Amino acid sequence: MKQVATHLEESLSGIAYQNRLLMMGLLARGPMNVGQITKALDLPQPTVSQNLARMKELGLIKSEVDGRSRVYRLDRNGIELLKTRLEWLLDTNYEPSSAERKDSHAQDGD
């Protein structure tokens, strides 16, 4: 339980910023590069890049190189894990998902 609570704390505190939530909303519609996000939200490029880096660190988005730019998209597995762990708060009969069990084993080795 403590591991689930720790993950929730890190993830929720990591996205508890309006700009990050807006970026995730944009990426939910489809992949975008930094320039597109910058333009859509009218934010400076360094601000966008720093926020994207943090969300990537949290496992909520992923990126890939496309020519000379990097394209970002939501990481569906990371979002699903966060969703499952949020459901834990409401479910007294909570059972960890297979993704959580896998994540737990990976963290045990750290």
Side-chain angles (χ1 to χ4, degrees):
M1 265 177 39
K2 186 173 181 178
Q3 181 181 6
V4 174
T6 299
H7 176 262
L8 278 171
E9 176 185 26
E10 291 172 2
S11 296
L12 294 175
S13 67
I15 61 172
Y17 297 92
Q18 184 178 33
N19 288 339
R20 291 181 188 168
L21 293 169
L22 290 169
M23 288 179 205
M24 290 178 69
L26 287 173
L27 295 175
R29 296 179 183 154
M32 298 178 82
N33 64 37
V34 172
Q36 292 168 315
I37 297 169
T38 298
K39 185 176 180 180
L41 298 179
D42 194 28
L43 293 171
Q45 183 272 326
T47 298
V48 171
S49 293
Q50 289 170 359
N51 282 292
L52 290 170
R54 180 64 178 134
M55 290 186 296
K56 187 174 178 183
E57 191 178 281
L58 292 168
L60 300 172
I61 65 170
K62 55 187 172 181
S63 67
E64 55 196 45
V65 176
D66 183 22
R68 295 187 320 177
S69 67
R70 186 166 294 279
V71 176
Y72 294 86
R73 68 182 74 242
L74 288 182
D75 184 333
R76 297 287 177 189
N77 293 329
I79 299 294
E80 187 62 34
L81 181 60
L82 177 59
K83 178 182 164 192
T84 300
R85 289 183 168 176
L86 282 168
E87 290 170 351
W88 164 78
L89 294 172
L90 303 173
D91 187 357
T92 57
N93 298 315
Y94 177 80
E95 290 293 327
S97 69
S98 60
E100 279 185 295
R101 288 191 295 274
K102 184 187 294 184
D103 182 52
S104 175
H105 293 302
Q107 288 184 4
D108 289 343
D110 291 343

